[in-house]
Amino acid sequence: MRQYRSSRISRSPRRAVTAAALAAALLGLSACGSGDDTGSADASGKVEGDITFQTWNLKANFKSYFESLIDDFEQKYPDAKVKWVDQPGEGYADKISADAAAGTLPDVVNVSPDLVAPLAKAGLALDLDKSAGKYEKEYLPGAWKSHQVPGLDGTYAFPWYLNTGPLFYNKRLFKDAGLDADKPPKTYDELFADAEELARKSKGEVATLANVPTIEDFGRYGVPLMNKEGTGFTFNDAKGVELLTEYKKLYDAKALDGQALTATPESTGKKFLTEAVAMNPGSALDLEKFKKDAPRLYANIGITPQISSTGKDNMYVMGVMVNTRTKRTPAAVAFAHFVTDAQRQMSFAKKVAIFPSTKGSLDDPYFTKEDGSDQTRVRIAAAKSLKTAVNYTPVLFSEQMKVELRNAVARALQGKESPKEALDNAVKSCDRLLKQS
């Protein structure tokens, strides 16, 4: 079940160069060392001097927010000055790579976990556990851990905004299949059983799911994805084979949509909109579309949490990294923390459909109190799940690796390889790509 990412401030894989390419570009820098000395610096001095803060395609919609935030910081620390630069979404990894290689990487940088990993390995990302560990208690545990890199000790960015989304389901389709529409599946066993019943009762006309399993789904199912050293993938273990075997059963029973092998978020959304699929992840923006374009669906919409065997939902997380080569470490750390503290994150969350990563923020009435609106219904459901959510996608899992897994899943569903053979081959390919990076 592919998870929702906010379309308003999306960080989906849209960049032209993947994190793997960034890692390759930084190989020379890593020779300089990424050991204990390169990832830490003294952040306890006076907050002063000029620093540069780089964001990722945020200026067009949030110019006044960031200008106000910087003004507030400079009033609090009058001896510090912040220059804000914003880079386009396309080619962001290219820009980071070029700046890192040239020694012109800004002092404070907006990153995602997959982008921070090669920077940490090259010794360019400050280890916050060593230099700013006192702040860890302010953030949700899963969010703080999201910028940790297998094979390295430390945390390499402050967690910033989060996103996730619940599952929508079609109550009418559940009722027509003789299922209790007020009791949607909460476990994978229930999901698989309900999906097969829906397919049987509809004679294969109604599928429950429209997506093949991704690395996030393997994580939610409880599959260990990677070894602790960060040197190899492990999603081909017995638990992983079990999940893919269940999806093969769904595919054969037409409980998994026939076009799932080539599905996109847009195509699966259309399937759900036309009531050809019974369940799909989504957002408040989707609810507004249903209300306008599919009133019968809207009248029968149910909202339920993501299904997980681990008790933890999946989250998408953005971060704010401090460059180890900054000449103003105290100011850079202070500003990175300022951007991501509870007050600033709460303010930002009220301007865009994202969620704070700070402890206690999700208990605010904004995330808990119903007001009858569609947006609030979904916001409350998502906020509840984020309190214990984790980022299942390994920070070292590149876009090329995602393609390898998707192709392996397709071969298994089509019967060209057994689930075990397919996953074994996918792990071999991903391990090879990992060594190349």
Side-chain angles (χ1 to χ4, degrees), residues 231-403:
T231 58
F233 293 98
T234 58
F235 54 82
N236 60 333
D237 82 335
K239 193 78 173 172
V241 173
E242 178 181 286
L243 176 63
L244 188 50
T245 300
E246 291 295 336
Y247 265 84
K248 169 64 172 165
K249 293 177 183 177
L250 296 183
Y251 187 75
D252 290 343
K254 296 186 177 181
L256 180 64
D257 185 74
Q259 298 178 25
L261 301 181
T262 58
T264 65
E266 292 74 22
S267 67
T268 59
K270 186 175 181 179
K271 288 277 186 178
F272 187 71
L273 184 74
T274 58
E275 301 191 74
V277 171
M279 301 189 80
N280 202 52
S283 72
L285 301 178
D286 292 314
L287 275 181
E288 293 170 358
K289 182 176 179 61
F290 300 157
K291 188 174 184 179
K292 178 182 177 182
D293 299 337
R296 185 174 77 162
L297 171 64
Y298 179 77
N300 288 286
I301 280 290
I303 301 175
T304 191
Q306 298 175 28
I307 295 172
S308 170
S309 295
T310 66
K312 298 178 185 296
D313 287 353
N314 183 63
M315 71 164 68
Y316 295 99
V317 57
M318 292 301 293
V320 178
M321 184 203 88
V322 175
N323 183 357
T324 56
R325 298 186 180 180
T326 178
K327 296 179 180 179
R328 302 292 184 179
T329 301
V333 170
F335 183 72
H337 174 251
F338 192 83
V339 171
T340 62
D341 70 14
Q343 180 181 341
R344 254 57 59 171
Q345 288 210 48
M346 193 68 203
S347 175
F348 197 35
K350 290 184 177 181
K351 294 181 180 298
V352 63
I354 51 90
F355 299 85
S357 62
T358 41
K359 286 181 181 177
S361 296
L362 297 176
D363 294 322
D364 187 275
Y366 182 71
F367 297 111
T368 60
K369 188 175 181 180
E370 292 278 6
D371 62 7
S373 71
D374 293 334
Q375 286 192 338
T376 300
R377 288 174 65 194
V378 177
R379 183 168 66 237
I380 289 174
K384 184 178 180 180
S385 73
L386 278 170
K387 289 182 180 180
T388 58
V390 297
N391 177 24
Y392 283 110
T393 302
V395 298
L396 301 176
F397 201 69
S398 69
E399 296 304 314
Q400 285 178 285
M401 295 172 189
K402 292 176 184 177
V403 171

Side-chain angles (χ1 to χ4, degrees), residues 61-137:
N61 294 323
F62 307 108
K63 184 173 183 287
S64 61
Y65 170 80
F66 285 102
E67 288 178 342
S68 176
L69 182 151
I70 290 169
D71 285 344
D72 290 345
F73 179 79
E74 292 178 346
Q75 287 181 18
K76 183 175 181 179
Y77 300 104
D79 294 324
K81 296 295 179 184
V82 179
K83 177 184 177 182
W84 175 33
V85 295
D86 186 66
Q87 302 296 342
E90 295 297 336
Y92 190 68
D94 280 314
K95 177 61 177 172
I96 290 179
S97 174
D99 285 345
T104 56
L105 194 68
D107 304 277
V108 181
V109 185
N110 176 192
V111 291
S112 55
D114 60 330
L115 291 183
V116 85
L119 294 168
K121 287 188 172 184
L124 294 177
L126 189 69
D127 179 359
L128 300 181
D129 288 343
K130 293 179 179 178
S131 300
K134 64 182 180 180
Y135 297 123
E136 177 181 356
K137 62 182 181 296

